Amino acid sequence: MSKVKVRIINQSNNPLPEYATEQAAGMDIRAFLEAPIVLNPLERFLVPTGLFIELPKGYEAQIRPRSGLAIKQGLTCLNSPGTIDADYRGEVKIILINLSQEPQTIHPGDRIAQMVVHDVERVKWKPVKSISVTKRHDGGFGHTGKS
Ligand SMILES: O=c1ccn([C@H]2C[C@H](O)[C@@H](COP(=O)(O)OP(=O)(O)OP(=O)(O)O)O2)c(=O)[nH]1
Ligand SMILES: [Mg+2]
């Protein structure tokens, strides 16, 4: 497993993100808050994590919602999946939104999202006059139907 440099604020009560199970793809990320926050329906909030990371070149970290929070409380990441660029050195923050019809409370230390580290392919453009023909052609947006 590769090691990624990380600086975390107040580690004594803000543990590093961890994989919750042996084969989990994402590490759970905790809200770094001094007090609980309440999100009203459709309200969004930029939740601090206290985490500053230095990803290796050629990698990104994706910030994804947790399904339990989504189904039970309607809480999700608004920009899902969030992208942490390898050259970003600021605090990792989570854009949470409450899509339920009731106010939802987030407590300090709650596991609010998960981070998946992934390698990234970067490309250059090669301008051409035409691009290849396929059976799909320009069909998209459900053109193959549902069943
Ligand atoms: O959920 C997120 C998404 C992004 N970021 C940070 C890391 C990322 O590298 C930077 C920029 O994110 P993004 O490229 O998605 O936002 P942008 O609106 O394009 O901002 P910028 O112009 O700074 O790239 O913000 C987070 O902390 N959390
Ligand atoms: Mg950007």
Side-chain angles (χ1 to χ4, degrees):
M1 256 192 213
S2 323
K3 288 194 173 173
V4 173
K5 287 182 187 168
V6 58
R7 180 166 82 78
I8 188 159
I9 298 175
N10 210 357
Q11 203 181 344
S12 49
N13 57 9
N14 186 25
L16 280 172
E18 282 182 354
Y19 295 108
T21 64
E22 218 172 298
Q23 301 292 326
M27 290 184 175
D28 291 332
I29 299 192
R30 295 175 187 275
F32 182 55
L33 297 168
E34 284 185 357
I37 51 165
V38 177
L39 290 192
N40 288 313
L42 295 183
E43 194 177 357
R44 58 187 187 267
F45 189 81
L46 193 58
V47 186
T49 65
L51 272 180
F52 298 75
I53 67 176
E54 184 176 329
L55 289 166
K57 248 188 204 171
Y59 285 81
E60 62 155 340
Q62 299 175 3
I63 303 295
R64 303 189 192 169
R66 293 187 67 208
S67 61
L69 289 183
I71 189 67
K72 290 176 198 160
Q73 293 180 267
L75 288 171
T76 190
C77 301
L78 180 56
N79 57 331
S80 184
T83 305
I84 309 297
D85 301 287
D87 54 0
Y88 180 69
R89 295 292 179 271
E91 183 177 6
V92 172
K93 294 186 179 175
I94 313 293
I95 309 172
L96 272 193
I97 185 163
N98 174 10
L99 297 182
S100 79
Q101 288 172 325
E102 299 86 37
Q104 299 292 344
T105 305
I106 295 141
H107 299 274
D110 279 358
R111 289 179 290 139
I112 51 169
Q114 57 188 319
M115 177 190 283
V116 175
V117 176
H118 211 284
D119 53 346
V120 177
E121 192 81 34
R122 279 168 50 102
V123 300
K124 285 183 179 166
W125 294 115
K126 176 183 176 182
V128 292
K129 289 248 157 57
S130 63
I131 54 176
S132 72
V133 174
T134 68
K135 205 168 163 195
R136 173 185 281 276
H137 189 46
D138 59 358
F141 314 102
H143 93 296
T144 59
K146 262 193 177 176
S147 55

